[in-house]
Amino acid sequence: MTAPRDNNRDDRPFLGRLTLPERNFVADALRAETVGGILLLLAAVVALIWANTFGGSYESVSDFHIGPSSLGLDLSIQHWAADGLLAIFFFVAGVELKRELVAGELRDPRAAALPVVAALCGMIAPALVYLTVTGIGGGSAAGWAVPTATDIAFALAVLAVLGASLPSALRAFLLTLAVVDDLFAIMIIAVFFTEDLNFAALGGAAAGLLLFWLLLRMGVRGWYVYVPLALAIWGLMYNSGVHATIAGVAMGLMLRCTRREGEQQSPGEHIEHLVRPISAGFAVPLFALFSAGVAVTGKSLGDVFTRPETLGVVLGLVVGKALGIFGGTWLTARFTKAELNTDLRWPDVFALASLAGIGFTVSLLIGELAFKGDAVLTDEVKASVLVGSLIAAILAGVLLKMRVRTYQALYAEEERDDDMSGIPDVYEQDDPAYHLRMAAIYEEKAAEHRRKADAAGASREDGDGPA
């Protein structure tokens, strides 16, 4: 292991050790996302089994309509999951983005350059791969945005299943990458998948957002104020023609994510802590349950690799994501002062880039939006998202397993707490009290060793020990 480094942001190398507050935040966030990702995997499996064994009942439930038609909200269950529940997911994404911008990796332009460029390249490259494949094969260019999104929960679930003990810096980079990725995905949805605008409803949504912001600035508290207002904003945004999930993002971005004197958590962190389990454990898995159910046959799987639209999605996720993120990261580091952590290698970055090829939640959503009205092609594109994500997961798993001993050693070093203080030793090495505690521990161990040696010697003298 290399010598401990100063954790100041300006001196920290790319993928170097995080500061203790950042480490703790990342650990909490990823813990919830990992559990949610496992539930997401289970929901996807249930959806596939349900759709391929009792397909009629799956379609009946998915297409069942409920909601007040007078408000323009007589929607199918699948529609409620995509437009309603995913608004919760995007609300959490908005809070994450706000926190990153004001208190995380993105607040410093120099630190933000790497994940921003990496995420941007990781969206441009898959789109170009898709357009190249469909251009050569004569397919539809409408699905160019499908392979551009990364599903952080799914990716972390794969890590949990593989048991890879990634050091916090790699996990933080993946999380920051996904946050920026979500931002660009939100922009794509808002710009390219907005239908005919209803300016009255859009104006009402804007007025609701303004009221939401004013109430926050006035310090008004109470879920009974914000939840009804949020539902009204969501309904107006849906009826405006702009995708309703944008309302969730906008409200998340309005929350204050900086801590004031005497605060252990900012309002944004507190609300995110409350809402994230709902998003990861309920909203996203239910969306997966009613979106991932596609009929899988030998012919349909064969079509994934022969039809230009579906092949473009698979290659975009597997090849485009990996090359785009890795290439963007390497070029940014090459032409800036960013230096890679000496404990890691560029193949580690490529493995992480391959893991980002797991696109599920937002990819499925964009697939539904891109091919609305063509149910057959929509299902085929969904199948290609599943296949591409599976291939990316296997590839990333193999690459990560090749370096698992290095990751385990770094992870163990980060987690080691010999003095039992509750704070990892690497963050205490400049604290004189830490050295006093460690000296006492070593002295106690030495005394115990001497007592055992004396007892063994006495036992041999009495004839009880080995000859």
Side-chain angles (χ1 to χ4, degrees):
M1 301 298 295
T2 58
R5 296 186 183 86
D6 181 12
N7 284 307
N8 290 335
R9 179 178 299 275
D10 293 341
D11 300 329
R12 199 174 76 211
F14 170 50
L15 297 181
R17 188 189 314 127
L18 301 179
T19 62
L20 184 58
E22 287 178 277
R23 172 191 174 277
N24 292 338
F25 174 82
V26 168
D28 290 340
L30 296 186
R31 191 177 299 114
E33 291 288 3
T34 301
V35 173
I38 294 172
L39 293 175
L40 176 64
L41 285 172
L42 292 175
V45 171
V46 170
L48 288 171
I49 294 173
W50 187 3
N52 286 276
T53 53
F54 305 101
S57 66
Y58 180 84
E59 291 180 3
S60 297
V61 174
S62 297
D63 294 337
F64 181 77
H65 279 61
I66 188 173
S69 56
S70 59
L71 299 178
L73 297 175
D74 181 19
L75 311 177
S76 67
I77 297 296
Q78 182 180 3
H79 210 162
W80 275 111
D83 284 298
L85 292 179
L86 275 195
I88 302 174
F89 166 80
F90 279 103
F91 172 79
V92 174
V95 179
E96 286 178 338
L97 178 61
K98 179 65 173 291
R99 186 202 169 275
E100 290 292 328
L101 288 170
V102 300
E105 289 292 309
L106 302 182
R107 78 174 188 264
D108 182 350
R110 289 171 296 179
L114 272 166
V116 169
V117 173
L120 187 58
C121 293
M123 299 188 82
I124 293 174
L128 291 176
V129 169
Y130 177 91
L131 291 173
T132 300
V133 173
T134 54
I136 294 174
S140 169
W144 64 270
V146 175
T148 60
T150 294
D151 194 305
I152 183 64
F154 211 145
L156 292 171
V158 170
L159 285 180
V161 172
L162 293 174
S165 298
L166 286 185
S168 59
L170 283 173
R171 291 175 178 266
F173 182 68
L174 182 61
L175 180 61
T176 306
L177 195 70
V179 170
V180 180
D181 189 285
D182 285 342
L183 170 63
F184 288 126
I186 291 161
M187 294 172 63
I188 287 173
I189 292 171
V191 173
F192 295 99
F193 297 102
T194 294
E195 301 173 350
D196 295 335
L197 290 177
N198 180 330
F199 288 100
L202 185 61
L209 288 171
L210 178 60
L211 178 59
F212 188 89
W213 181 81
L214 288 173
L215 291 173
L216 287 173
R217 292 299 171 272
M218 292 166 60
V220 175
R221 297 188 178 186
W223 64 267
Y224 47 84
V225 174
Y226 290 103
V227 171
L229 178 58
L231 291 174
I233 293 170
W234 175 86
L236 287 165
M237 189 69 76
Y238 174 82
N239 282 286
S240 73
V242 177
H243 199 270
T245 53
I246 303 301
V249 178
M251 286 183 280
L253 286 169
M254 290 181 182
L255 295 178
R256 176 170 61 83
C257 292
T258 53
R259 299 180 187 180
R260 293 175 179 170
E261 187 175 354
E263 287 184 338
Q264 292 185 338
Q265 283 185 318
S266 66
E269 290 172 316
H270 175 67
I271 294 174
E272 181 190 11
H273 180 73
L274 295 176
V275 178
R276 185 187 289 276
I278 300 173
S279 170
F282 176 74
V284 174
L286 269 185
F287 167 76
L289 180 64
F290 292 109
S291 292
V294 294
V296 178
T297 63
K299 182 180 183 304
S300 64
L301 289 178
D303 289 344
V304 166
F305 297 98
T306 56
R307 184 159 185 162
E309 293 89 350
T310 52
L311 180 60
V313 170
V314 172
L315 292 179
L317 288 171
V318 177
V319 179
K321 271 288 183 182
L323 293 181
I325 292 173
F326 178 80
T329 305
W330 186 85
L331 287 172
T332 305
R334 174 70 177 80
F335 293 105
T336 65
K337 295 181 179 180
E339 294 183 2
L340 184 65
N341 182 352
T342 55
D343 292 322
L344 298 171
R345 301 289 182 269
W346 281 109
D348 300 315
V349 181
F350 187 79
L352 209 64
S354 300
L355 189 64
I358 300 175
F360 192 79
T361 306
V362 181
S363 291
L364 290 176
L365 175 62
I366 293 177
E368 292 179 359
L369 297 174
F371 298 104
K372 185 181 296 186
D374 190 337
V376 174
L377 185 53
T378 297
D379 282 348
E380 290 179 348
V381 167
K382 288 181 179 180
S384 68
V385 170
L386 297 175
V387 171
S389 297
L390 178 61
I391 295 172
I394 293 172
L395 174 61
V398 170
L399 294 174
L400 291 171
K401 283 293 185 182
M402 291 171 64
R403 293 269 291 165
V404 70
R405 290 186 178 180
T406 300
Y407 302 146
Q408 288 174 342
L410 290 170
Y411 183 78
E413 181 69 13
E414 286 183 359
E415 298 296 316
R416 188 165 57 86
D417 185 18
D418 290 341
D419 65 342
M420 305 296 289
S421 65
I423 299 175
D425 294 341
V426 292
Y427 294 100
E428 294 187 295
Q429 292 177 359
D430 294 330
D431 182 4
Y434 164 77
H435 295 288
L436 292 175
R437 289 195 299 271
M438 292 304 299
I441 291 171
Y442 292 144
E443 179 57 33
E444 183 179 344
K445 289 181 178 179
E448 180 66 21
H449 179 74
R450 288 194 296 269
R451 285 194 296 271
K452 289 181 179 180
D454 291 343
S459 177
R460 284 195 296 270
E461 290 177 359
D462 292 339
D464 295 332

